[in-house]
Amino acid sequence: MFSLTMFLSLALSVVTVSTSSLGDAQVAISPLNASYIDSRHDYWNARQSNYSPSCVVYPKSSQDVSVAIRAIRESGSRFAVKAGGHSPNNFFSSVDQGVLIDFKSMTAKSYDAATTLATYEPGSNWGQLYEFYQQYDRTVMGGRLSGVGTGLALGGGLSYLAPQYGMACDSFTELEVVLLNGTITTASTTSNPDLFFGLRGGGGNAFGVVTRYTVQSHPIGKFYAGTLIYVLDHAQKVLEATHDFIAYNIDPKANILVTYETLTTPDVLLNLDEVIVVFIVYDGADPGAAFSNFTQIPRLLDTSKPNKAYTEVADMPIPYTAELSRADNVFRIGAHQISGSDAYREVYDRYAAWADANKGLYVFVSLNFYPVARSMTDASRARGGNAMQMPDGPWFWVNYLLSTPPGLLLDLHDRVQASFRAMVEATPSAPGLPLFLNEAAVDQRPLASFPTYRRLQQIKREYDPDGFFANKTGGWTFD
Ligand SMILES: Cc1cc2nc3c(=O)[nH]c(=O)nc-3n(C[C@H](O)[C@H](O)[C@H](O)COP(=O)(O)OP(=O)(O)OC[C@H]3O[C@@H](n4cnc5c(N)ncnc54)[C@H](O)[C@@H]3O)c2cc1C
Ligand SMILES: *[C@@H]1O[C@H](CO)[C@@H](O)[C@H](O)[C@H]1NC(C)=O
Ligand SMILES: *[C@@H]1O[C@H](CO)[C@@H](O)[C@H](O)[C@H]1NC(C)=O
Ligand SMILES: *[C@@H]1O[C@H](CO)[C@@H](O)[C@H](O)[C@H]1NC(C)=O
Ligand SMILES: *[C@@H]1O[C@H](CO)[C@@H](O)[C@H](O)[C@H]1NC(C)=O
C-alpha cells in the first residue's frame, strides 16, 4: 500500500530534486487543486475519473520524466502516463493511489523547413498540432478528431490521410524515450532499432516513455469534406455503399468514416433513436465520383463542401459522438475481409439486433467502419512497415462503442459488458488481420494478433526486464 507519508515524500523528493538540478516539474498533491481536478476529470471514458491519484506530476522535460520514473520505481508505487486521456481501458492512463504523470506541460513543437521534419512533445492534442503545422502548409500524421492525444501514434494511428501516407507511426523518424530505468535515449532505425520497431504501433506504456516525436511531415492543402446524415430507413443502402467504397475505391485522397449510432430511447416514432453519419474527406478540391455512392442516397443533412482546412476536417460537427460523448465508454474492435465476405453485413445485423434487444441498458452505442485501403498498406510498407505488418488492403476495421449509464450497478455493468462482448465475438475477426490496437478492449489482446508478436515479446523483455511497467501500470499484456 502506498501511504500518505510515502506519497508526500515521493512528491516532495520529485519537487526537491527537480527544482535543484533537473528542471521544474510541478506536482499537484491536493485533490482540491485545480490542476489535479483537471487531470482527474479529463478522460474520455468517465469511469477513469473514479480513481484518485496520490499526486499528479507535470514534467516539463525528459529529465523531469526520468526523475519521476526513478522516484516511482524506488517507492514501489503504482503509476500511469497520460497524454490525451482518450484510452477507454482502465489504468492505461489512469491510476488509483499512485502517481499520475500528465504531459499537459510538455507542448513544445517545431518545424524544420530544410528537412521537412516536424518535432513535438507529447502534451498537445491533434487539433493543436494540426493548427501549428498548418502555417507551414504541412501536417503531421495523427487522428481524425482534434481532441485525441498523441498516445494515438504509438498505437499505429489512423487518420483520413492514411491511404496516402500510411499509419501515423509509419512517419516516425526518431523518438526520444525515457527508458524504464530512467535512462534518456533515442530510438530510430539506427539507434535502439528494436525499441523503435516496438514503438511503431506496439502501443504506449510498454517499452518506455516517449518525450519527443520527430516525424516526417506531409504537405497539406484544402479539403473537400463534410458530414452526411441519413435516417435509419437507408441503413442497408449506406451499408452497401460502404462495402463498395472499401472494396473498390482506389483514390488515395478519398476517405470515409461511417458510423451507425443508436440511442437507448425506444424507437416509437420515425426511428429517431438511430442515425447514420458518414464523414467524407477528400484531400483536394474535387472528389470526382469518389463519394457518389453515398450522395445518391437521400440525406437528412449534408455539410460537404470544398475549401476546408485540415483543422476544420478534424473538427467536423457530429451529433452525439466523440468529444461530446465523455461518458462510461468502452471500445471493441473487429478486423474483417471485404472481398468475398459478408462480414460487413453480419457485423451490422448483430449490432442492430443487440441495440434493439438491450434498450435501457446503455445510453448510446455505435458501430464504425474504417476502410484499410491497398494504398494505405502499400504506403506503410514503403516506409518500412510497423508492428502490425498489415497485409495488403482492402479490408476493414470495425469499431464498436458502448456507452453505459453512469452509476450502473457493478453487477449490471458487468452483464451488459459481457453481452456486448459476446455480440462482437459472434462475428470473429478474420485470421491474419491485425486488430486495431488503439480501439481494442484490453481482453481482446490485440498484440497477439500481430505477426510480429514474438519479436514484440522479446523487445518487452529487453526494455522492461524486471517487469516494472508490467506490474505497476496498466497496458497491453505480452504473455
Ligand atoms: C473520440 C475518439 C476518437 C478517436 N479517433 C481515433 C483516430 O482517428 N485514429 C486512431 O488511431 N485512434 C483513434 N482513437 C483511439 C485513440 O488512438 C486511443 O484511444 C489512444 O490511446 C488515445 O491516445 P491519448 O494520448 O489521447 O490517450 P492516453 O489515454 O493518454 O494514452 C493512451 C495510452 O498511451 C500511453 N501513452 C501516451 N503517451 C505516451 C508516451 N508519450 N509514452 C509512452 N506511453 C504513452 C498511455 O499510458 C496510455 O496507455 C480515438 C479515440 C477516441 C476516444
Ligand atoms: C495546483 O498545483 C500546481 C502544481 O503544483 C500549482 O502550480 C498550482 O499553483 C496549484 N494551484 C492552486 C490553486 O493551489
Ligand atoms: C460504387 O458502387 C459500385 C457498385 O454498386 C461500384 O462498382 C463502384 O466502384 C463504386 N464507386 C466507388 C467510387 O466506390
Ligand atoms: C537501462 O535499461 C536499458 C534497457 O533495458 C539497458 O540497456 C541499460 O543498460 C540500462 N541502464 C542502466 C544504467 O541500468
Ligand atoms: C513483477 O512481478 C513479477 C511476478 O510477480 C516479480 O517477479 C517481479 O519482481 C516484479 N517486478 C517488479 C519491478 O516489481
Side-chain angles (χ1 to χ4, degrees):
M1 288 309 285
F2 199 50
S3 74
L4 184 71
T5 30
M6 278 172 77
F7 96 66
L8 274 174
S9 72
L10 168 64
L12 293 176
S13 74
V14 174
V15 172
T16 313
V17 178
S18 61
T19 46
S20 59
S21 56
L22 290 161
D24 51 353
Q26 289 185 310
V27 185
I29 303 169
S30 163
L32 301 175
N33 173 287
S35 306
Y36 179 105
I37 291 171
D38 236 40
S39 293
R40 185 176 171 193
H41 286 277
D42 186 14
Y43 288 100
W44 182 71
N45 173 5
R47 287 182 84 81
Q48 308 308 321
S49 308
N50 295 342
Y51 309 126
S52 320
S54 313
C55 63
V56 186
V57 180
Y58 301 96
K60 293 197 168 155
S61 65
S62 51
Q63 281 78 10
D64 290 348
V65 173
S66 167
V67 169
I69 289 289
R70 275 183 282 180
I72 290 165
R73 184 186 265 281
E74 232 157 81
S75 75
S77 167
R78 287 193 64 81
F79 71 101
V81 173
K82 179 184 183 190
H86 274 60
S87 170
N89 290 317
N90 290 339
F91 305 125
F92 273 48
S93 54
S94 60
V95 60
D96 204 26
Q97 304 304 309
V99 181
L100 180 62
I101 299 177
D102 188 329
F103 274 124
K104 207 171 279 203
S105 303
M106 284 180 69
T107 58
K109 30 184 117 49
S110 64
Y111 176 64
D112 180 349
T115 60
T116 68
L117 297 180
T119 296
Y120 58 85
E121 289 181 339
S124 300
N125 67 28
W126 296 111
Q128 292 159 339
L129 290 167
Y130 296 161
E131 172 93 46
F132 177 79
Y133 292 107
Q134 216 156 255
Q135 66 184 298
Y136 307 104
D137 298 321
R138 308 291 294 186
T139 198
V140 292
M141 295 298 283
R144 289 160 300 188
L145 277 169
S146 54
V148 184
T150 54
L152 168 149
L154 298 173
L158 183 65
S159 85
Y160 291 119
L161 306 179
Q164 296 182 75
Y165 310 116
M167 302 291 283
C169 67
D170 294 323
S171 287
F172 290 169
T173 61
E174 187 180 283
L175 303 172
E176 180 187 70
V177 187
V178 176
L179 299 179
L180 311 187
N181 53 18
T183 302
I184 301 170
T185 188
T186 57
S188 68
T189 52
T190 51
S191 163
N192 295 299
D194 278 349
L195 178 63
F196 189 58
F197 180 85
L199 291 168
R200 284 166 74 108
N205 226 20
F207 312 109
V209 181
V210 177
T211 44
R212 194 170 61 233
Y213 297 81
T214 302
V215 304
Q216 178 59 57
S217 70
H218 300 285
I220 202 85
K222 289 290 167 77
F223 287 76
Y224 181 96
T227 309
L228 317 183
I229 297 185
Y230 305 88
V231 294
L232 186 70
D233 295 1
H234 301 303
Q236 294 299 330
K237 282 193 191 124
V238 174
L239 193 60
E240 292 309 319
T242 303
H243 168 276
D244 291 339
F245 186 92
I246 298 170
Y248 307 124
N249 172 63
I250 51 165
D251 185 342
K253 292 178 181 293
N255 210 341
I256 55 169
L257 193 167
V258 176
T259 159
Y260 287 79
E261 319 197 328
T262 314
L263 290 169
T264 202
T265 46
D267 53 351
V268 284
L269 206 68
L270 302 171
N271 286 328
L272 284 181
D273 60 323
E274 304 194 40
V275 70
I276 307 159
V277 183
V278 178
F279 299 100
I280 56 173
V281 175
Y282 194 82
D283 185 1
D286 179 9
F291 307 118
S292 58
N293 288 336
F294 290 100
T295 49
Q296 273 165 20
I297 307 167
R299 285 139 291 155
L300 200 63
L301 182 80
D302 182 343
T303 68
S304 52
K305 56 174 194 214
N307 229 10
K308 286 191 176 164
Y310 194 41
T311 42
E312 291 176 79
V313 172
D315 260 335
M316 290 203 284
I318 329 169
Y320 319 141
T321 52
E323 297 316 305
L324 298 177
S325 65
R326 180 193 134 88
D328 289 6
N329 295 330
V330 300
F331 277 152
R332 291 192 166 274
I333 197 80
H336 301 285
Q337 297 292 353
I338 192 77
S339 51
S341 165
D342 262 350
Y344 72 104
R345 286 209 195 102
E346 286 179 41
V347 155
Y348 174 73
D349 290 347
R350 293 203 165 97
Y351 161 84
W354 191 94
D356 252 8
N358 289 278
K359 290 278 182 195
L361 291 177
Y362 60 88
V363 176
F364 172 76
V365 280
S366 93
L367 180 74
N368 303 283
F369 289 89
Y370 304 161
V372 177
R374 172 66 194 258
S375 66
M376 172 173 153
T377 56
D378 284 350
S380 175
R381 196 160 309 144
R383 288 177 165 73
N386 56 46
M388 279 184 279
Q389 300 284 313
M390 296 180 288
D392 286 347
W395 43 273
F396 67 100
W397 280 311
V398 64
N399 157 294
Y400 304 79
L401 160 63
L402 168 62
S403 185
T404 48
L408 200 62
L409 291 176
L410 198 57
D411 177 50
L412 201 52
H413 180 265
D414 290 351
R415 266 175 25 221
V416 180
Q417 296 293 337
S419 126
F420 194 72
R421 175 179 173 170
M423 179 273 289
V424 171
E425 286 177 352
T427 317
S429 285
L433 294 184
L435 292 182
F436 183 38
L437 175 140
N438 273 347
E439 300 190 3
V442 63
D443 61 73
Q444 293 191 289
R445 306 186 70 242
L447 291 171
S449 73
F450 294 9
T452 61
Y453 189 45
R454 277 177 186 284
R455 183 166 174 205
L456 293 172
Q457 286 174 310
Q458 272 163 16
I459 298 168
K460 177 72 175 169
R461 277 194 294 273
E462 190 182 336
Y463 285 91
D464 190 10
D466 61 357
F468 171 49
F469 261 43
N471 295 0
K472 297 297 184 188
T473 183
W476 306 110
T477 53
F478 286 79
D479 36 60

